[in-house]
Structures are given as C-alpha cells and as structure tokens.
Amino acid sequence: MKKYLVCLIACLAISTVFTSCEKEEESFDETLLLGEWKGNETIVGKVHEMHYKYTSDFKGLTWDATEDMTEEDGQKFTWSLKKSELTHIHVMEIVDGQPITKIYKVTELTASTLKYEETVNGTVVKYSYTKV
C-alpha cells in the first residue's frame, strides 16, 4: 500500500511540473491601440510612410503619406484584437467588394509603440509604429 501511495504522489508531482511549462499566449489591452499610428513599410522596394487609425467602434483607416494621401483618402477596415492576434478586414472596391483579411501577431503594444508581425511565404515580416 505504501508503494502505491509513493507512486501516486510522484505522478501528481510530475503532472504539476509539466502542466506549468507551457507558455501562455501574451494578451494586450486593445484600448492602447486606439488613435493614430505612423511607421515605415517597404513596399516593392520603396519605403512608404504608412498611417493607421483605430477607433473605439472597431473601425479603422489606413493611408500612405508618401503618396500624398491624407486621412480623408484612407482605406477603411474593421479590426479586432484577441490576446496577441490583430485582425484587419478591408473591403476594397478594386476586388469587387470582397473582404481582404490580414492577421498579425502583436509583439509589443504600449501607449507609444505598436509592433506586430506576419508570415508571408514563409518569411516573417515585422512592422513597427509610433503613436502620433
């Protein structure tokens, strides 16, 4: 009987150690995302000054200041942030109103810094923005 008790205690101890080893996905406060962000993105070999604006009703705008675009010219999108997954859903007239969904992994979100990444054709592309 003593042998079974020792085995039971050992199994419980081992199971406790292994369940605590898995890293939990980081979670970010979506209210920090609200406002306008600016950052440089390389598009077809050229650096563009991109702006993103996130509003509390989960709508957003993006525009390219390098191409003399302003907020009024911005492409509309809806957004969501669940844990570290940032999703943009763009509805573009160019593609017959079909939504284009972009999913990013947020790596840093503070009151002044936004960083996220996506994997494109097996390559991780990183983006960095500052609050305007």
Side-chain angles (χ1 to χ4, degrees):
M1 184 70 169
K2 186 176 179 182
K3 186 177 182 180
Y4 290 115
L5 185 58
V6 170
C7 283
L8 178 63
I9 292 171
C11 288
L12 288 173
I14 290 171
S15 67
T16 303
V17 170
F18 284 114
T19 57
S20 64
C21 290
E22 189 173 316
K23 185 178 177 185
E24 190 173 316
E25 183 181 351
E26 195 165 2
S27 189
F28 294 94
D29 179 2
E30 69 184 21
T31 61
L32 291 173
L33 195 57
L34 302 179
E36 184 179 337
W37 299 86
K38 161 176 102 165
N40 293 325
E41 294 179 18
T42 302
I43 304 170
V44 193
K46 182 179 176 188
V47 177
H48 292 256
E49 181 185 303
M50 299 300 296
H51 290 253
Y52 288 85
K53 185 172 186 179
Y54 298 88
T55 61
S56 60
D57 60 355
F58 302 100
K59 294 180 181 175
L61 289 170
T62 182
W63 64 95
D64 184 348
T66 308
E67 299 294 329
D68 293 326
M69 293 176 74
T70 64
E71 184 176 340
E72 290 77 32
D73 304 314
Q75 167 63 49
K76 295 178 183 179
F77 64 91
T78 59
W79 64 272
S80 65
L81 178 61
K82 305 233 184 314
K83 293 197 177 219
S84 66
E85 184 178 277
L86 175 61
T87 303
H88 289 179
I89 300 175
H90 300 262
V91 177
M92 303 178 75
E93 295 174 15
I94 296 171
V95 288
D96 299 324
Q98 296 297 315
I100 297 173
T101 303
K102 300 287 282 182
I103 299 173
Y104 306 99
K105 180 183 180 200
V106 176
T107 56
E108 182 179 345
L109 177 57
T110 67
S112 60
T113 302
L114 168 61
K115 293 182 181 181
Y116 55 75
E117 58 189 37
E118 69 175 330
T119 302
V120 179
N121 299 325
T123 303
V124 176
V125 180
K126 298 183 180 196
Y127 303 91
S128 180
Y129 305 91
T130 54
K131 188 78 115 354
V132 177

